[in-house]
Amino acid sequence: MNGRIALRHVSKVYGADPRTALLLLAQGADKQRVQAETGQHVGLYDVSLSIPAGGIYAIMGLSGSGKSTLVRHINRLVEPSAGQVLIDGEDVLGFGAARLRELRRRRISMVFQHFGLLPHRSVLDNVAFGRRVRGESRRQAQEAARGWLARVGLSGHEHDYPDQLSGGMRQRVGLARALASDTDILLMDEPFSALDPLLRDDLQTQLLALQAELGKTIVFITHDVEEAFRLGQRIALLRDGRLVQEGEPEAVRQAPVDDYVARFLARVNGGSVPRSTGSARG
Amino acid sequence: MAFFATFDLREPINRAVETLVERHGDRLHALNDLLLQGLLLPLERVLRQAPPWLVLLAVLLLAWRATGRWRVAATLTVACYLIGCFGLWDALMQTLALVLVATALAVLLGLPLGIAIAHSRRLRAVVLPVLDVMQTLPTFVYLIPAVMLFGLGKVPAILATVVYAICPLVRLTDLGLRQVDPEVQEAARSFGTTRWQLLLGVQLPLAWPSILAGVNQTVMMALAMVVVASMIGARGLGEEVLAGIQTLDVGRGLQAGLAIVLLAVVIDRVTQGFGRGRRPDGEPGARP
Ligand SMILES: Nc1ncnc2c1ncn2[C@@H]1O[C@H](COP(=O)(O)OP(=O)(O)OP(=O)(O)O)[C@@H](O)[C@H]1O
Ligand SMILES: [Mg+2]
């Protein structure tokens, strides 16, 4: 099956000499050994997956397992050390600067784990940013931005600055900014991790509604299993940069491939497990 | 047998400068004229011919705009008025013109250089040591090559000043740009910014406080250097100090010295006020 987005044998080593690290990895070394022997960090190793169009694809894993690294390959904020990244069948790595910009301007937008808002611009200008970048007039961009701010419940805050908002409000600005670009692929890197449980619940509901309405392809990163199961039509599990399991939530729940996955899933299997509140990190 | 081998740099240097002047004399001359006729003299003329009350009013408004406090602005204006009371208004305007031109040139050259080294590790490895040397050289040493190439006068004084004063601006521009939050830059790039959009819309605005701190230091160093440069023909307050020393007129020298301190305080407050900057307006940073 070839999906909307496909990663083929993607590896990423952060360091000066990825080839040595890749050789070690190919010989079966793990992330820790590579780090001990070469001083380089393994972000991802040999990850292949295919993300179907129009749905939420959840990617889970512990801190440092490579989730952010993976999602950044899709819009090429991170260059892989090896492998291919395909979007609608096209190899993104073959794109020149101009085509890559077009891809980021019109087809993929992203919500960041730590918001990544522009501190020197008002909320309205932050949300209008994507449209301004691609050359729309200020008026036109702001009009669209106003609409999206209203959708995420931030009307009245147009002229505030990011540092005047709470964390939850900032994250919604980030969400509105990504949505305002009207791209049909949306990358979300732990967008709700920093929020309190009630607000998270609220935004999850909103996101599901939005997805149903707009039919976007959403790649959703989380380290919260419950969140992944609630949102994902498919889920993938990363561990130390490797893909351990991938599939429909029900299938993964029925047949975890190993102990790691089983323990990861323990929370949702019980059914009556309390909402995880301890997982919200800075 | 002498213990020291003879190794004399004087002759080769002299010859090199001579050939430089011989070969490029015309160009040096043209540059000299351009700076003098095109920049310095007109500015000096405007400042010296403007009625002092107008200049003082301009100082008042500028200081108010910068600091946002009327009391401070009024105090700074009084300081300038005091220099006039010393009978040094004309000298003050001459010095101001020199400092402004030198600062403008330093910004014109230093800002792009700072941007360039922030983006190129290799260039930074070359430029930073040169800046180190430039900063450790005694200020007098700058005067020598300037005089050799341009003779005595205001232009060599300005050029020596620019070379001396450009260092902090380059450094702080580089530092400011490299300290811009990588996550913010990454987020901007994820929307498909060009290099220029990123630079103008994100990197420079966020590095602005640091860059303005650099401008502040550059102005202060330019002021210090302009005084030294009076030895090679810069007119103004420095000349008064020099004259005070040469004629053993302690009162004259110290009074001019005090005027320089007052000017320094005014310039420092004003540029720092702008550097502290209130929130910038949501400028349209995204340009195609
Ligand atoms: N810029 C970088 N330079 C060096 N190593 C990096 C860099 N970014 C990530 N890494 C390494 O890559 C690995 C995966 O990091 P990544 O940020 O993708 O994890 P993550 O799953 O998103 O974690 P978290 O849940 O904490 O956000 C980590 O071991 C990290 O140390
Ligand atoms: Mg992450």
Side-chain angles (χ1 to χ4, degrees):
Chain A
M1 179 194 67
N2 228 341
R4 190 81 219 263
I5 304 166
L7 272 64
R8 292 202 188 137
H9 306 290
V10 170
S11 298
K12 174 66 187 178
V13 176
Y14 292 99
D17 180 22
R19 285 182 57 195
T20 316
L22 287 177
L23 267 172
L24 273 173
L25 285 161
Q27 290 161 11
D30 63 1
K31 182 180 159 127
Q32 283 72 25
R33 213 182 109 202
V34 170
Q35 193 177 331
E37 287 186 20
T38 70
Q40 307 185 86
H41 293 269
V42 179
L44 284 182
Y45 180 63
D46 197 22
V47 171
S48 296
L49 51 78
S50 175
I51 299 175
I56 300 181
Y57 191 100
I59 298 174
M60 281 184 293
L62 298 176
S63 186
S65 59
K67 306 182 294 294
S68 296
T69 303
L70 192 161
V71 77
R72 277 166 173 69
H73 276 91
I74 298 172
N75 57 356
R76 225 177 119 188
L77 286 174
V78 167
E79 300 279 338
S81 307
Q84 272 186 316
V85 181
L86 305 177
I87 294 184
D88 295 329
E90 288 177 304
D91 186 356
V92 179
L93 301 171
F95 282 19
R99 272 191 87 190
L100 182 60
R101 272 201 304 277
E102 275 311 295
L103 179 79
R104 290 173 177 169
R105 287 179 179 187
R106 308 201 176 264
R107 289 165 65 196
I108 302 182
S109 54
M110 182 158 173
V111 181
F112 289 82
Q113 190 168 0
H114 306 289
F115 322 131
L117 301 179
L118 307 172
H120 61 298
R121 298 211 189 173
S122 68
V123 165
L124 187 63
D125 284 328
N126 263 286
V127 177
F129 184 74
R131 284 172 175 266
R132 291 289 291 148
V133 164
R134 63 191 190 205
E136 285 180 29
S137 75
R138 194 181 165 86
R139 218 175 45 100
Q140 208 179 351
Q142 289 194 342
E143 207 177 287
R146 263 179 235 282
W148 283 109
L149 275 173
R151 290 245 9 202
V152 299
L154 284 177
S155 287
H157 291 281
E158 286 87 355
H159 301 292
D160 287 350
Y161 282 81
D163 61 2
Q164 294 169 306
L165 304 179
S166 71
M169 290 159 98
R170 283 183 216 178
Q171 194 53 276
R172 280 183 283 162
V173 175
L175 183 61
R177 178 175 67 176
L179 289 170
S181 286
D182 257 339
T183 56
D184 41 56
I185 297 175
L186 191 57
L187 310 178
M188 305 180 78
D189 189 358
E190 299 203 35
F192 304 152
S193 296
L195 309 183
D196 64 74
L198 283 181
L199 189 59
R200 192 180 334 172
D201 208 60
D202 220 39
L203 284 174
Q204 286 171 356
T205 312
Q206 261 194 44
L207 187 68
L208 283 168
L210 264 171
Q211 203 286 322
E213 182 192 337
L214 305 171
K216 287 182 190 296
T217 306
I218 299 177
V219 182
F220 192 100
I221 308 290
T222 179
H223 59 254
D224 177 351
V225 198
E226 279 182 82
E227 190 169 62
F229 270 77
R230 175 160 183 216
L231 297 176
Q233 264 100 67
R234 290 181 81 82
I235 59 173
L237 244 140
L238 290 178
R239 177 194 197 178
D240 287 349
R242 292 170 200 255
L243 181 68
V244 261
Q245 192 167 6
E246 196 266 350
E248 286 174 12
E250 208 40 48
V252 175
R253 191 211 303 256
Q254 302 293 337
V257 292
D258 61 14
D259 218 36
Y260 173 76
V261 180
R263 268 190 298 147
F264 218 102
L265 298 184
R267 301 200 93 95
V268 279
N269 273 338
S272 63
V273 181
R275 280 205 71 82
S276 75
T277 48
S279 57
R281 300 161 313 138
Chain B
M1 276 278 276
F3 174 65
F4 289 108
T6 320
F7 183 57
D8 201 336
L9 289 175
R10 288 175 298 186
E11 263 314 298
I13 291 179
N14 285 342
R15 239 176 295 128
V17 170
E18 251 164 51
T19 39
L20 192 66
V21 172
E22 259 168 39
R23 287 220 193 115
H24 300 287
D26 291 350
R27 252 168 259 172
L28 292 175
H29 210 78
L31 179 63
N32 191 15
D33 279 357
L34 181 72
L35 286 179
L36 203 61
Q37 309 293 344
L39 213 55
L40 183 64
L41 291 185
L43 179 65
E44 206 180 272
R45 208 171 308 127
V46 168
L47 284 174
R48 288 170 76 181
Q49 282 173 5
W53 64 264
L54 192 63
V55 178
L56 288 173
L57 185 66
V59 171
L60 183 71
L61 291 177
L62 200 65
W64 176 68
R65 188 87 182 83
T67 61
R69 302 214 306 268
W70 279 113
R71 276 257 296 278
V72 178
T75 313
L76 296 179
T77 311
V78 168
C80 290
Y81 178 75
L82 200 59
I83 301 177
C85 298
F86 294 159
L88 293 175
W89 186 260
D90 209 38
L92 172 64
M93 289 303 110
Q94 286 178 325
T95 297
L96 194 59
L98 278 175
V99 169
L100 288 179
V101 170
T103 305
L105 287 178
V107 171
L108 223 57
L109 298 172
L111 194 62
L113 187 58
I115 293 171
I117 67 173
H119 287 92
S120 160
R121 203 177 280 235
R122 217 178 294 166
L123 193 61
R124 183 172 337 123
V126 177
V127 172
L128 285 187
V130 175
L131 291 185
D132 282 335
V133 172
M134 277 162 57
Q135 273 194 319
T136 41
L137 278 183
T139 50
F140 290 109
V141 176
Y142 288 100
L143 302 179
I144 301 168
V147 170
M148 287 192 299
L149 294 178
F150 291 96
L152 292 175
K154 289 174 178 172
V155 169
I158 287 181
L159 292 182
T161 306
V162 169
V163 173
Y164 176 66
I166 205 171
C167 301
L169 180 64
V170 177
R171 267 176 210 289
L172 284 166
T173 302
D174 170 46
L175 185 71
L177 285 173
R178 281 188 298 124
Q179 279 178 342
V180 173
D181 185 349
E183 187 145 358
V184 172
Q185 301 188 58
E186 186 181 46
R189 283 199 297 132
S190 82
F191 287 94
T193 52
T194 59
R195 275 165 173 251
W196 278 108
Q197 286 175 330
L198 191 65
L199 183 69
L200 296 177
V202 179
Q203 293 170 331
L204 280 180
L206 292 182
W208 208 231
S210 176
I211 292 173
L212 281 176
V215 172
N216 169 268
Q217 288 196 25
T218 291
V219 192
M220 300 310 282
M221 286 175 70
L223 182 59
M225 187 65 185
V226 156
V227 174
V228 176
S230 65
M231 290 196 309
I232 60 166
R235 310 285 307 274
L237 295 172
E239 198 188 10
E240 279 289 309
V241 177
L242 201 64
I245 296 171
Q246 281 163 352
T247 58
L248 292 182
D249 187 341
V250 180
R252 186 178 178 187
L254 284 184
Q255 176 172 279
L258 181 61
I260 290 167
V261 171
L262 289 176
L263 178 60
V265 170
V266 173
I267 292 179
D268 184 48
R269 290 292 115 179
V270 170
T271 49
Q272 266 196 35
F274 279 115
R276 209 167 290 129
R278 282 131 282 158
R279 196 185 289 289
D281 307 311
E283 276 225 320
R287 283 162 208 132

